[in-house]
Amino acid sequence: MSWLPKSPKARRRLWITAAIAPVLALAVGLSLWAMSDRVTYFVTPAEATPEAAPEGRLMRLGGLVETGSVSHGADGRVRFMVGDGGATTLVTYRGDLPDLFREGQGIVAEGVFLADRSFEARQVLAKHDETYMPREVAEKLKARGEWRPESPTT
């Protein structure tokens, strides 16, 4: 007794399905593989372990700019510390900072971790108004119990 259906119509459907399934699986696999290079993970300084944020991998680092930590170098490089209440990370950035960048404010920096666990930012995003903080940063701060929302002004 054969495992193939006896009906010619059912056999044709089975063969068409058998031919299309691997092509579809290959297309989905190639699409996922191509998108894996576009994924950018978000971490806070406390989560930025060598395992979670390996050296050289494109990441987003979020937190609050530590007060008194911003220094401007003669070469145009800006250095500052980003913290989340549990840990801090040194961030270096070459370029113009956003107009709203300042100490004590939430930022998200996109870049890579270096061997010394400092962060070299390629882009720095700052809050855009008095009540905004990047969602990822706010969620991480709330989870750690460090969330201190500003009182709304009326």
Side-chain angles (χ1 to χ4, degrees), residues 4-75:
L4 291 173
K6 293 184 181 182
S7 164
K9 193 173 187 178
R11 280 187 185 189
R12 189 173 27 239
R13 276 192 222 132
L14 179 64
W15 286 115
I16 289 172
T17 303
I20 291 175
V23 172
L24 184 61
L26 180 65
V28 168
L30 287 174
S31 297
L32 292 174
W33 179 67
M35 286 189 293
S36 68
D37 292 340
R38 296 286 186 189
V39 173
T40 305
Y41 294 100
F42 177 86
V43 294
T44 62
E47 298 170 342
T49 62
E51 296 80 27
E55 175 185 344
R57 180 188 219 176
L58 186 62
M59 304 286 292
R60 286 189 178 163
L61 176 71
L64 301 174
V65 178
E66 296 287 318
T67 304
S69 68
V70 179
S71 66
H72 298 272
D75 62 350

Side-chain angles (χ1 to χ4, degrees), residues 9 88 107 148:
K9 193 173 187 178
T88 58
I107 63 119
R148 293 182 297 265

Side-chain angles (χ1 to χ4, degrees), residues 53-57 77 90 92 111-121:
E55 175 185 344
R57 180 188 219 176
R77 189 172 294 267
L90 174 66
T92 58
V112 295
F113 280 95
L114 303 176
D116 63 356
R117 301 310 296 161
S118 66
F119 190 78
E120 185 175 313

Side-chain angles (χ1 to χ4, degrees), residues 42 62-64 106-108 133-142:
F42 177 86
L64 301 174
I107 63 119
V108 173
M133 176 176 288
R135 180 176 41 90
E136 296 93 346
V137 174
E139 288 172 359
K140 299 294 182 180
L141 290 173
K142 285 178 186 176

Side-chain angles (χ1 to χ4, degrees), residues 131 133 142 146-152:
T131 59
M133 176 176 288
K142 285 178 186 176
E146 297 292 329
W147 176 250
R148 293 182 297 265
E150 296 178 20
S151 60

